[in-house]
Amino acid sequence: MQAAGVLLLLLLLLLAVPVNVLYALKREGCWRGRVIVHWMFGLVHLSFRPGRRRRGPRGRSRGGRGGRIARAGKGLVKRRRDLVAVLRSPGFARRLFRLIGDLIAASRPRRFQARFVVGLEDPADTGRLWGMLAPLRLLFGKRSIGKESSVSLEITPDFSGPRFQGYSCASLRFVPLRIIGLGLGFVFSAPVLRALRQQKGQRAFS
């Protein structure tokens, strides 16, 4: 019991050490770019590139590949429909945007730039999403935080069909313990729990 308490205390101390993150990401079908992480006052250094795929073994049949593509397409459509249903849940969008604002404030960005084009299958859903994003665009559209810190966020709607592409780059510094606290507060908030219950009920009757 005492050893477990010591390990828990050590874990909390490690999570209280600030993390520095630098990244530059671009999305055109999949995420590509580079992420650099410095932790423990420079003792831990990580660097990785999202979007890199390992080549699988050759000689697979075309039919199998076509089946995988078809299944992936159906799964993507289902995920988009689930996303629209969740965003329509009362209070969820407001709570989500509050989380995004809290995360940006907690990360103390020296530089944050993001520019994305977003569209859903139904133009009406795209319009609703665009309206929901209005407070976030007004809050983080383009402003300076201090002398050397700036935030720039630009989101453009696409009413022609499903689309999500753009880029983002940032230099962030945050305390993992605080980010975990914000995440737990979001997950166990009333709007999120309500949306999860609705999704579970819809899947039970589908």
Side-chain angles (χ1 to χ4, degrees):
M1 193 70 179
Q2 186 176 1
V6 172
L7 290 176
L8 179 60
L9 178 60
L10 180 60
L11 178 61
L12 292 176
L13 290 175
L14 290 175
L15 292 176
V17 177
V19 177
N20 293 304
V21 177
L22 292 87
Y23 74 82
L25 298 173
K26 184 177 182 180
R27 179 177 174 85
E28 289 182 354
C30 65
W31 288 104
R32 296 187 181 277
R34 188 178 183 185
V35 180
I36 301 175
V37 179
H38 296 277
W39 187 42
M40 294 296 293
F41 310 104
L43 296 177
V44 178
H45 174 86
L46 301 174
S47 178
F48 56 95
R49 296 180 180 273
R52 281 192 171 185
R53 298 180 180 179
R54 296 181 180 179
R55 295 182 179 180
R58 298 181 179 180
R60 294 181 178 178
S61 62
R62 295 182 179 178
R65 182 183 178 187
R68 289 196 304 274
I69 294 175
R71 288 192 297 269
K74 291 180 180 179
L76 183 60
V77 171
K78 186 178 183 302
R79 287 194 297 271
R80 284 172 176 161
R81 289 176 179 172
D82 291 343
L83 174 62
V84 172
V86 168
L87 289 174
R88 287 177 176 175
S89 179
F92 182 88
R94 182 180 299 177
R95 186 62 182 85
L96 176 61
F97 298 144
R98 176 185 166 189
L99 172 68
I100 295 174
D102 290 341
L103 290 175
I104 293 178
S107 62
R108 289 183 289 176
R110 297 179 180 176
R111 179 174 57 91
F112 177 84
Q113 296 180 356
R115 181 177 297 175
F116 290 101
V117 180
V118 181
L120 300 174
E121 288 186 358
D122 188 344
D125 290 330
T126 302
R128 292 190 190 95
L129 179 62
W130 179 244
M132 293 176 183
L133 291 173
L136 193 64
R137 292 183 288 110
L138 291 175
L139 183 60
F140 298 105
K142 190 174 183 182
R143 65 191 183 100
S144 297
I145 307 175
K147 296 182 178 179
E148 300 179 355
S149 182
S150 63
V151 173
S152 177
L153 175 64
E154 181 178 339
I155 303 175
T156 304
D158 185 353
F159 296 96
S160 62
R163 187 180 178 188
F164 178 52
Q165 66 182 49
Y167 75 90
S168 177
C169 58
S171 174
L172 311 173
R173 179 182 174 88
F174 59 89
V175 176
L177 196 60
R178 186 176 181 187
I179 300 299
I180 293 173
L182 292 173
L184 291 176
F186 171 75
V187 170
F188 292 103
S189 63
V192 175
L193 293 177
R194 185 187 307 116
L196 292 176
R197 285 195 297 267
Q198 290 178 356
Q199 284 295 105
K200 187 177 180 179
Q202 291 176 1
R203 291 177 180 177
F205 288 102
S206 61

